[in-house]
Amino acid sequence: MGGVRAAFQLVAAALLVAGCQTTERAPLEPASLAVTNVTVIDPESRRVLPAHSVYIRGDRIVAVRPSAGPQGYAAERTIDGTGQYLIPGLMDMHVHLFLPQPAPATLNLLFANGVTGIREMSGDCWALAGGTKGCIGEYRALQNALRSGETPGPDIVAIAGTMVMGPANVKLPDGVPPIVVPGTPDQGRELARHLHGRGVDIVKTHDSVPHNVFVALIEEARRLGLEVSGHVPFGAGSLGAATLGYRSIEHARDLLYDCSRYGAEFRRTNGDFVERKPGSARPPNLVRLARTVDEYDPALCASFLAQLSATGVYHTPTHVTREMEARAGDAAYRSDPARRYILAPRAADWEKDLTSTAALPAEEIRQLGRFYRHGLLITGLAHRAGLPIMAGTDANDTMIVPGFSLHREMGLLREAGLSPMDVLRAATSVPAAYLRKSDRYGGIAAGKEADLVLLGADPLKDVANMRQVRAVVANGRLYDRAALDALLADVERMAARPAL
C-alpha cells in the first residue's frame, strides 16, 4: 500500500506542476503614465503613503498602490519617483489674466510653479458700457484651449464677471444703462439676470454696493444658481453676507473689521456713504488702519468667527496684496528676481504703484504694516475656528508675480499658523470642496483627474519645498522640468522685448 500511495503522490505532484506551467497570468491593464516608488501625499485624506506607485490612463488616475506589491498595470511611460514627493496640482483661487493681454505670460509662470487650476476673478468686460475686449467669450475660448492641451497651462476652474460696484463710486458715461452700477433693488435683480445670461460662474461684488441692492442681487443670483463672492458690501458685513449665501470672502480685510470694536462704526459710516446719505463721508485711510488693529477684541472675534464658520463660507485672504502695501519702500522686497518675468507695460504700472505707496506718510506706512501682520493673526484664528481657508494671490496685481506669488502666499499661511498639511490643503482639497468638485480635484486617488506635481523635497517638513517642482502632470499630460523651464524662458524673452 505504501508504494501505491507514493506513486499516487508523485502523479498528483506532476499534474500540479503541469497545471502551474499551463496557467496564463492575467493580462496587465494599460496605463499611459506611472510614477513609481514615490511618497504620495494626499491632502484630502491627510494620508502620507511612502513607496507607492500612481497609474494614470488618459486624464484620470486609475490606481494608487504600494510599489512592493503586484501592480497589474503596464505603463507606456514611467517616472522613477524614488526620494521624491507627489502632491495634487496646486490651485490659485484669485487670479487676473487681464485678457486680451498675452495670456501665455501668466499661464507659463503659473504652470512652471505647479499650478494646475485657477479661479479667474475678473473674466468679462462690461459690454453694457461698450467693452469689446477681455470679454467672457475670450475666457471661455482660452479655457477650452487649456483643457484640450492646445495651450499649456492651468485649467480655469471658475470665471467671475467684472466687479459690480455701487453708484457712489462710479459716474457712468451718458448712455450706459444704470444696472452697470445698480442703485435700486430692481436694478440689482436685473443685473443678476444679465450676468447669468453672459455665462459667468461668479458675480463679484465690491464693498460699495448698497445693502438693499446687494440683498436683491444675491437673492436673484441664488435663484438662478449663480454664485456671489468677492468684496463684502459694507452694509452686510461678513456674517450678514455669508448668511445670505455669499460663497467666498476675498482679501484679508473684512474679517479684521468684524473682529474689531471699530468694525460696526466703520461699516455704518461707509454704508451711509455708499447709500449717498447727506453729510456722509468715508473715514481717512489712516483712521481705518489704526482703529481696526487698536480696537481688536479677542472675545468679539472668537464669537464672530464661530458664527461665520457655521455658515459654510470660504475665505481667500491674499496676504501677498497686503504685504505689497506694507513693503512698497523695501529695497530687498522690490528687487525680487521674479520681476524679470513681468512684461514691460505691467512692470511700468507696478513701479508707479510702488513709488506712490512708498511715498505715503511714515505713520500710514507703519499702520499698513500693522494691518498686514494683524491679518495673519486673524487668518490663523479663522482657520482654528473652522473657517475654510483657500490660497489665492490676486496674481498680476502689483508685485504679485503669477505662480511664484502662490508659494509666497503659502509661506504666509504657514506664518499665520496653519500646519504644512493645512497649507497644502488650502491650495488643493479646500478649493476642490469650494468648487463642489472633490470627486475630481484636490486629492490623489483612483478616479481623480490626473493633475499632479512631483516635488524634490518633503513639503510637510517645510512648505518652501513646494517650490521644488520636478514635473507637472496636467490632465494626464506630463511636463518635465526641462519643459517647465522652457515655458519660463519664453516669458523671460517676452519680458525682455521692448514694448510696441
Side-chain angles (χ1 to χ4, degrees):
M1 290 296 292
V4 173
R5 185 181 296 111
F8 176 79
Q9 288 172 339
L10 287 172
V11 170
L15 290 171
L16 179 62
V17 170
C20 290
Q21 289 174 339
T22 57
T23 299
E24 294 184 2
R25 291 182 179 178
L28 297 177
E29 291 285 334
S32 50
L33 177 66
V35 184
T36 61
N37 202 38
V38 71
T39 296
V40 172
I41 300 175
D42 178 26
E44 183 177 42
S45 66
R46 296 182 178 270
R47 293 192 304 165
V48 179
L49 306 172
H52 269 60
S53 295
V54 176
Y55 292 91
I56 295 162
R57 184 187 301 131
D59 63 354
R60 297 281 168 168
I61 298 170
V62 292
V64 180
R65 52 189 53 182
S67 298
Q71 299 302 292
Y73 287 87
E76 296 172 13
R77 183 170 183 180
T78 298
I79 300 173
D80 181 5
T82 301
Q84 299 179 83
Y85 300 80
L86 195 67
I87 63 172
L90 302 173
M91 293 191 191
D92 187 332
M93 296 302 283
H94 196 121
V95 167
H96 296 289
L97 292 173
F98 292 135
L99 298 183
Q101 297 180 33
T106 294
L107 299 172
N108 289 9
L109 296 175
L110 289 161
F111 211 41
N113 279 280
V115 180
T116 62
I118 58 174
R119 183 176 60 152
E120 166 57 56
M121 289 305 287
S122 187
D124 196 10
C125 62
W126 275 121
L128 287 171
T132 57
K133 295 181 179 180
C135 302
I136 186 69
E138 293 173 70
Y139 284 90
R140 292 298 183 197
L142 178 59
Q143 185 183 55
N144 291 335
L146 289 162
R147 290 177 175 176
S148 69
E150 176 187 344
T151 298
D155 185 15
I156 304 174
V157 296
I159 301 175
T162 299
M163 188 152 56
V164 176
M165 304 182 77
N169 275 48
V170 179
K171 180 173 174 53
L172 291 177
D174 291 341
V176 175
I179 68 164
V180 173
V181 285
T184 68
D186 283 346
Q187 290 172 355
R189 284 186 282 268
E190 185 181 353
L191 181 59
R193 292 190 292 271
H194 169 76
L195 293 172
H196 180 257
R198 293 286 294 173
V200 301
D201 301 312
I202 303 166
V203 176
K204 181 180 179 182
T205 61
H206 189 255
D207 50 24
S208 60
V209 178
H211 184 57
N212 62 344
V213 176
F214 172 66
V215 171
L217 183 149
I218 195 170
E219 288 179 348
E220 184 68 6
R222 290 186 68 192
R223 187 187 70 80
L224 296 166
L226 195 58
E227 177 186 333
V228 182
S229 293
H231 302 192
V232 175
F234 293 122
S238 305
L239 186 57
T243 301
L244 286 168
Y246 216 61
R247 284 278 291 151
S248 174
I249 296 170
E250 305 304 298
H251 310 306
R253 289 189 297 240
D254 289 287
L255 271 59
L256 279 67
Y257 305 143
D258 292 305
C259 278
S260 173
R261 292 187 302 277
Y262 172 60
E265 178 186 335
F266 171 77
R267 292 197 180 283
R268 183 175 61 254
T269 302
N270 280 280
D272 288 347
F273 174 77
V274 301
E275 292 177 15
R276 296 182 285 190
K277 292 184 178 179
S280 61
R282 301 190 68 171
N285 198 41
L286 184 59
V287 171
R288 173 184 71 89
L289 297 168
R291 289 192 62 185
T292 298
V293 180
D294 289 343
E295 297 179 38
Y296 163 64
D297 186 327
L300 173 67
C301 190
S303 174
F304 157 70
L305 290 174
Q307 295 176 75
L308 187 65
S309 297
T311 66
V313 73
Y314 289 74
H315 181 39
T316 316
T318 68
H319 289 293
V320 284
T321 52
R322 302 285 77 76
E323 182 181 32
M324 187 287 294
E325 295 170 346
R327 299 184 62 192
D330 182 338
Y333 174 73
R334 291 174 69 153
S335 63
D336 182 354
R339 290 184 70 181
R340 70 183 184 275
Y341 296 113
I342 300 304
L343 276 58
R346 179 162 295 125
D349 290 341
W350 283 14
E351 198 60 30
K352 290 176 186 176
D353 193 12
L354 288 163
T355 301
S356 62
T357 303
L360 292 170
E363 179 58 17
E364 190 165 345
I365 291 173
R366 187 178 79 84
Q367 295 297 343
L368 283 166
R370 292 179 74 222
F371 195 86
Y372 156 60
R373 290 186 294 274
H374 190 60
L376 296 174
L377 168 72
I378 299 301
T379 292
L381 293 173
H383 169 70
R384 290 190 287 279
L387 191 70
I389 305 296
M390 297 196 294
T393 64
D394 230 351
N396 281 319
D397 202 352
T398 302
M399 288 298 289
I400 315 300
V401 182
F404 295 91
S405 59
L406 182 64
H407 292 286
R408 175 59 182 162
E409 180 71 14
M410 290 191 290
L412 293 176
L413 292 178
R414 182 74 181 102
E415 285 186 34
L418 278 69
S419 71
M421 179 63 86
D422 285 323
V423 171
L424 177 57
R425 285 171 59 82
T428 54
S429 58
V430 176
Y434 155 81
L435 292 165
R436 299 185 175 98
K437 293 180 179 177
S438 294
D439 59 325
R440 294 171 57 188
Y441 306 128
I444 302 180
K448 301 273 191 185
E449 289 197 8
D451 293 339
L452 304 164
V453 179
L454 185 64
L455 301 175
D458 187 353
L460 301 185
K461 285 188 176 179
D462 186 343
V463 297
N465 288 336
M466 279 189 263
R467 296 176 183 268
Q468 295 197 34
V469 177
R470 296 290 179 263
V472 171
V473 179
N475 254 352
R477 303 180 188 91
L478 173 66
Y479 299 80
D480 62 16
R481 189 63 252 178
L484 300 175
D485 286 339
L487 294 177
L488 290 176
D490 282 348
V491 181
E492 192 166 5
R493 282 191 291 271
M494 292 172 67
R497 294 183 197 132
L500 297 178

mmCIF file of all heavy atoms in Angstrom, residues 102 104-105 108-109 339-344 482-499:
data_model
loop_
_atom_site.group_PDB
_atom_site.id
_atom_site.type_symbol
_atom_site.label_atom_id
_atom_site.label_comp_id
_atom_site.label_asym_id
_atom_site.label_seq_id
_atom_site.Cartn_x
_atom_site.Cartn_y
_atom_site.Cartn_z
ATOM 1 N N PRO A 102 -1.271 89.307 -23.245
ATOM 2 C CA PRO A 102 -0.787 87.966 -23.624
ATOM 3 C C PRO A 102 -0.962 86.937 -22.498
ATOM 4 O O PRO A 102 -0.287 87.001 -21.475
ATOM 5 C CB PRO A 102 0.698 88.207 -23.925
ATOM 6 C CG PRO A 102 0.793 89.660 -24.267
ATOM 7 C CD PRO A 102 -0.238 90.346 -23.421
ATOM 8 N N PRO A 104 -0.153 83.674 -22.354
ATOM 9 C CA PRO A 104 0.949 82.765 -22.026
ATOM 10 C C PRO A 104 1.901 83.315 -20.967
ATOM 11 O O PRO A 104 2.479 82.539 -20.197
ATOM 12 C CB PRO A 104 1.665 82.582 -23.364
ATOM 13 C CG PRO A 104 0.591 82.789 -24.385
ATOM 14 C CD PRO A 104 -0.264 83.876 -23.809
ATOM 15 N N ALA A 105 2.065 84.625 -20.901
ATOM 16 C CA ALA A 105 2.971 85.194 -19.909
ATOM 17 C C ALA A 105 2.555 84.804 -18.494
ATOM 18 O O ALA A 105 3.392 84.501 -17.644
ATOM 19 C CB ALA A 105 3.006 86.716 -20.041
ATOM 20 N N ASN A 108 2.219 80.413 -18.306
ATOM 21 C CA ASN A 108 3.501 79.713 -18.207
ATOM 22 C C ASN A 108 4.085 79.821 -16.803
ATOM 23 O O ASN A 108 4.632 78.854 -16.269
ATOM 24 C CB ASN A 108 4.499 80.284 -19.212
ATOM 25 C CG ASN A 108 4.182 79.934 -20.654
ATOM 26 O OD1 ASN A 108 3.117 79.400 -20.947
ATOM 27 N ND2 ASN A 108 5.093 80.244 -21.561
ATOM 28 N N LEU A 109 3.984 81.014 -16.220
ATOM 29 C CA LEU A 109 4.538 81.227 -14.881
ATOM 30 C C LEU A 109 3.790 80.386 -13.851
ATOM 31 O O LEU A 109 4.400 79.789 -12.954
ATOM 32 C CB LEU A 109 4.461 82.707 -14.504
ATOM 33 C CG LEU A 109 5.290 83.677 -15.349
ATOM 34 C CD1 LEU A 109 5.021 85.120 -14.922
ATOM 35 C CD2 LEU A 109 6.781 83.369 -15.233
ATOM 36 N N ARG A 339 10.651 89.392 -10.823
ATOM 37 C CA ARG A 339 10.131 90.518 -11.611
ATOM 38 C C ARG A 339 10.648 90.502 -13.048
ATOM 39 O O ARG A 339 10.075 91.171 -13.918
ATOM 40 C CB ARG A 339 10.487 91.850 -10.945
ATOM 41 C CG ARG A 339 9.738 92.113 -9.651
ATOM 42 C CD ARG A 339 10.043 93.478 -9.074
ATOM 43 N NE ARG A 339 9.468 94.548 -9.880
ATOM 44 C CZ ARG A 339 9.604 95.855 -9.587
ATOM 45 N NH1 ARG A 339 10.276 96.216 -8.510
ATOM 46 N NH2 ARG A 339 9.042 96.757 -10.358
ATOM 47 N N ARG A 340 11.705 89.736 -13.297
ATOM 48 C CA ARG A 340 12.224 89.677 -14.675
ATOM 49 C C ARG A 340 11.232 89.035 -15.629
ATOM 50 O O ARG A 340 11.385 89.130 -16.849
ATOM 51 C CB ARG A 340 13.550 88.932 -14.709
ATOM 52 C CG ARG A 340 13.474 87.427 -14.459
ATOM 53 C CD ARG A 340 14.882 86.828 -14.441
ATOM 54 N NE ARG A 340 14.916 85.382 -14.290
ATOM 55 C CZ ARG A 340 14.875 84.736 -13.137
ATOM 56 N NH1 ARG A 340 14.782 85.424 -12.003
ATOM 57 N NH2 ARG A 340 14.943 83.422 -13.095
ATOM 58 N N TYR A 341 10.212 88.375 -15.102
ATOM 59 C CA TYR A 341 9.206 87.729 -15.940
ATOM 60 C C TYR A 341 8.011 88.642 -16.248
ATOM 61 O O TYR A 341 7.083 88.207 -16.934
ATOM 62 C CB TYR A 341 8.691 86.469 -15.250
ATOM 63 C CG TYR A 341 9.742 85.402 -15.050
ATOM 64 C CD1 TYR A 341 10.166 85.052 -13.776
ATOM 65 C CD2 TYR A 341 10.315 84.742 -16.141
ATOM 66 C CE1 TYR A 341 11.123 84.064 -13.582
ATOM 67 C CE2 TYR A 341 11.272 83.762 -15.960
ATOM 68 C CZ TYR A 341 11.676 83.430 -14.676
ATOM 69 O OH TYR A 341 12.625 82.449 -14.486
ATOM 70 N N ILE A 342 8.015 89.850 -15.748
ATOM 71 C CA ILE A 342 6.864 90.741 -15.934
ATOM 72 C C ILE A 342 7.057 91.595 -17.172
ATOM 73 O O ILE A 342 8.084 92.265 -17.337
ATOM 74 C CB ILE A 342 6.659 91.620 -14.681
ATOM 75 C CG1 ILE A 342 6.418 90.740 -13.462
ATOM 76 C CG2 ILE A 342 5.505 92.580 -14.887
ATOM 77 C CD1 ILE A 342 5.253 89.771 -13.582
ATOM 78 N N LEU A 343 6.050 91.586 -18.055
ATOM 79 C CA LEU A 343 6.141 92.332 -19.305
ATOM 80 C C LEU A 343 6.183 93.830 -19.053
ATOM 81 O O LEU A 343 5.638 94.318 -18.058
ATOM 82 C CB LEU A 343 4.965 91.972 -20.209
ATOM 83 C CG LEU A 343 5.145 90.708 -21.069
ATOM 84 C CD1 LEU A 343 5.421 89.478 -20.237
ATOM 85 C CD2 LEU A 343 3.930 90.487 -21.953
ATOM 86 N N ALA A 344 6.810 94.546 -19.967
ATOM 87 C CA ALA A 344 7.146 95.953 -19.758
ATOM 88 C C ALA A 344 5.958 96.837 -19.366
ATOM 89 O O ALA A 344 6.081 97.630 -18.426
ATOM 90 C CB ALA A 344 7.838 96.514 -21.000
ATOM 91 N N ALA A 482 12.503 70.210 -17.726
ATOM 92 C CA ALA A 482 13.025 70.884 -18.917
ATOM 93 C C ALA A 482 11.909 71.615 -19.659
ATOM 94 O O ALA A 482 12.095 72.755 -20.127
ATOM 95 C CB ALA A 482 13.711 69.879 -19.836
ATOM 96 N N ALA A 483 10.740 70.987 -19.763
ATOM 97 C CA ALA A 483 9.604 71.621 -20.445
ATOM 98 C C ALA A 483 9.127 72.836 -19.649
ATOM 99 O O ALA A 483 8.782 73.880 -20.236
ATOM 100 C CB ALA A 483 8.470 70.626 -20.621
ATOM 101 N N LEU A 484 9.112 72.740 -18.329
ATOM 102 C CA LEU A 484 8.679 73.866 -17.500
ATOM 103 C C LEU A 484 9.675 75.012 -17.581
ATOM 104 O O LEU A 484 9.281 76.187 -17.642
ATOM 105 C CB LEU A 484 8.509 73.405 -16.055
ATOM 106 C CG LEU A 484 7.476 72.289 -15.826
ATOM 107 C CD1 LEU A 484 7.488 71.848 -14.368
ATOM 108 C CD2 LEU A 484 6.078 72.739 -16.236
ATOM 109 N N ASP A 485 10.971 74.690 -17.609
ATOM 110 C CA ASP A 485 11.989 75.740 -17.743
ATOM 111 C C ASP A 485 11.884 76.435 -19.087
ATOM 112 O O ASP A 485 12.132 77.649 -19.194
ATOM 113 C CB ASP A 485 13.388 75.145 -17.568
ATOM 114 C CG ASP A 485 13.691 74.808 -16.115
ATOM 115 O OD1 ASP A 485 13.022 75.370 -15.211
ATOM 116 O OD2 ASP A 485 14.599 73.982 -15.880
ATOM 117 N N ALA A 486 11.503 75.691 -20.114
ATOM 118 C CA ALA A 486 11.322 76.305 -21.433
ATOM 119 C C ALA A 486 10.171 77.305 -21.405
ATOM 120 O O ALA A 486 10.244 78.367 -22.055
ATOM 121 C CB ALA A 486 11.061 75.217 -22.479
ATOM 122 N N LEU A 487 9.094 76.999 -20.654
ATOM 123 C CA LEU A 487 7.987 77.946 -20.514
ATOM 124 C C LEU A 487 8.460 79.229 -19.829
ATOM 125 O O LEU A 487 8.088 80.345 -20.237
ATOM 126 C CB LEU A 487 6.853 77.314 -19.710
ATOM 127 C CG LEU A 487 6.131 76.119 -20.344
ATOM 128 C CD1 LEU A 487 5.088 75.559 -19.382
ATOM 129 C CD2 LEU A 487 5.470 76.513 -21.663
ATOM 130 N N LEU A 488 9.268 79.091 -18.786
ATOM 131 C CA LEU A 488 9.804 80.268 -18.103
ATOM 132 C C LEU A 488 10.696 81.085 -19.034
ATOM 133 O O LEU A 488 10.634 82.330 -19.041
ATOM 134 C CB LEU A 488 10.599 79.847 -16.864
ATOM 135 C CG LEU A 488 9.812 79.283 -15.687
ATOM 136 C CD1 LEU A 488 10.756 78.834 -14.584
ATOM 137 C CD2 LEU A 488 8.816 80.301 -15.155
ATOM 138 N N ALA A 489 11.524 80.398 -19.806
ATOM 139 C CA ALA A 489 12.421 81.100 -20.727
ATOM 140 C C ALA A 489 11.632 81.886 -21.772
ATOM 141 O O ALA A 489 12.018 83.001 -22.148
ATOM 142 C CB ALA A 489 13.362 80.106 -21.401
ATOM 143 N N ASP A 490 10.514 81.330 -22.230
ATOM 144 C CA ASP A 490 9.670 82.038 -23.193
ATOM 145 C C ASP A 490 9.149 83.346 -22.597
ATOM 146 O O ASP A 490 9.124 84.380 -23.275
ATOM 147 C CB ASP A 490 8.482 81.159 -23.606
ATOM 148 C CG ASP A 490 8.874 80.093 -24.607
ATOM 149 O OD1 ASP A 490 9.986 80.172 -25.158
ATOM 150 O OD2 ASP A 490 8.059 79.168 -24.831
ATOM 151 N N VAL A 491 8.716 83.289 -21.330
ATOM 152 C CA VAL A 491 8.194 84.502 -20.696
ATOM 153 C C VAL A 491 9.311 85.516 -20.504
ATOM 154 O O VAL A 491 9.111 86.725 -20.718
ATOM 155 C CB VAL A 491 7.527 84.174 -19.350
ATOM 156 C CG1 VAL A 491 6.972 85.446 -18.711
ATOM 157 C CG2 VAL A 491 6.410 83.160 -19.527
ATOM 158 N N GLU A 492 10.476 85.052 -20.115
ATOM 159 C CA GLU A 492 11.591 85.973 -19.915
ATOM 160 C C GLU A 492 11.958 86.687 -21.223
ATOM 161 O O GLU A 492 12.247 87.887 -21.231
ATOM 162 C CB GLU A 492 12.803 85.223 -19.358
ATOM 163 C CG GLU A 492 13.879 86.151 -18.850
ATOM 164 C CD GLU A 492 14.924 85.439 -17.995
ATOM 165 O OE1 GLU A 492 14.871 84.190 -17.877
ATOM 166 O OE2 GLU A 492 15.804 86.139 -17.457
ATOM 167 N N ARG A 493 11.883 85.947 -22.329
ATOM 168 C CA ARG A 493 12.132 86.594 -23.629
ATOM 169 C C ARG A 493 11.039 87.613 -23.956
ATOM 170 O O ARG A 493 11.336 88.701 -24.471
ATOM 171 C CB ARG A 493 12.203 85.521 -24.715
ATOM 172 C CG ARG A 493 13.519 84.776 -24.767
ATOM 173 C CD ARG A 493 13.646 83.920 -26.007
ATOM 174 N NE ARG A 493 12.747 82.783 -25.999
ATOM 175 C CZ ARG A 493 13.052 81.588 -25.471
ATOM 176 N NH1 ARG A 493 14.224 81.393 -24.930
ATOM 177 N NH2 ARG A 493 12.181 80.606 -25.525
ATOM 178 N N MET A 494 9.778 87.269 -23.645
ATOM 179 C CA MET A 494 8.702 88.201 -23.887
ATOM 180 C C MET A 494 8.900 89.477 -23.070
ATOM 181 O O MET A 494 8.673 90.593 -23.563
ATOM 182 C CB MET A 494 7.355 87.566 -23.525
ATOM 183 C CG MET A 494 6.915 86.423 -24.419
ATOM 184 S SD MET A 494 5.440 85.581 -23.781
ATOM 185 C CE MET A 494 4.210 86.884 -23.970
ATOM 186 N N ALA A 495 9.324 89.317 -21.832
ATOM 187 C CA ALA A 495 9.505 90.474 -20.945
ATOM 188 C C ALA A 495 10.665 91.346 -21.374
ATOM 189 O O ALA A 495 10.667 92.558 -21.109
ATOM 190 C CB ALA A 495 9.700 89.992 -19.506
ATOM 191 N N ALA A 496 11.656 90.747 -22.017
ATOM 192 C CA ALA A 496 12.851 91.493 -22.427
ATOM 193 C C ALA A 496 12.617 92.302 -23.698
ATOM 194 O O ALA A 496 13.397 93.209 -23.995
ATOM 195 C CB ALA A 496 14.020 90.536 -22.622
ATOM 196 N N ARG A 497 11.570 91.962 -24.457
ATOM 197 C CA ARG A 497 11.302 92.690 -25.696
ATOM 198 C C ARG A 497 10.801 94.092 -25.387
ATOM 199 O O ARG A 497 9.986 94.286 -24.478
ATOM 200 C CB ARG A 497 10.241 91.977 -26.532
ATOM 201 C CG ARG A 497 10.663 90.633 -27.069
ATOM 202 C CD ARG A 497 9.570 90.049 -27.929
ATOM 203 N NE ARG A 497 9.776 88.617 -28.114
ATOM 204 C CZ ARG A 497 8.839 87.697 -27.960
ATOM 205 N NH1 ARG A 497 7.620 88.057 -27.596
ATOM 206 N NH2 ARG A 497 9.115 86.424 -28.154
ATOM 207 N N PRO A 498 11.238 95.083 -26.138
ATOM 208 C CA PRO A 498 10.708 96.449 -25.918
ATOM 209 C C PRO A 498 9.222 96.499 -26.258
ATOM 210 O O PRO A 498 8.758 95.832 -27.167
ATOM 211 C CB PRO A 498 11.528 97.303 -26.888
ATOM 212 C CG PRO A 498 12.073 96.352 -27.905
ATOM 213 C CD PRO A 498 12.242 95.033 -27.228
ATOM 214 N N ALA A 499 8.488 97.263 -25.473
ATOM 215 C CA ALA A 499 7.040 97.425 -25.707
ATOM 216 C C ALA A 499 6.812 98.121 -27.043
ATOM 217 O O ALA A 499 7.544 99.029 -27.419
ATOM 218 C CB ALA A 499 6.413 98.224 -24.575
#
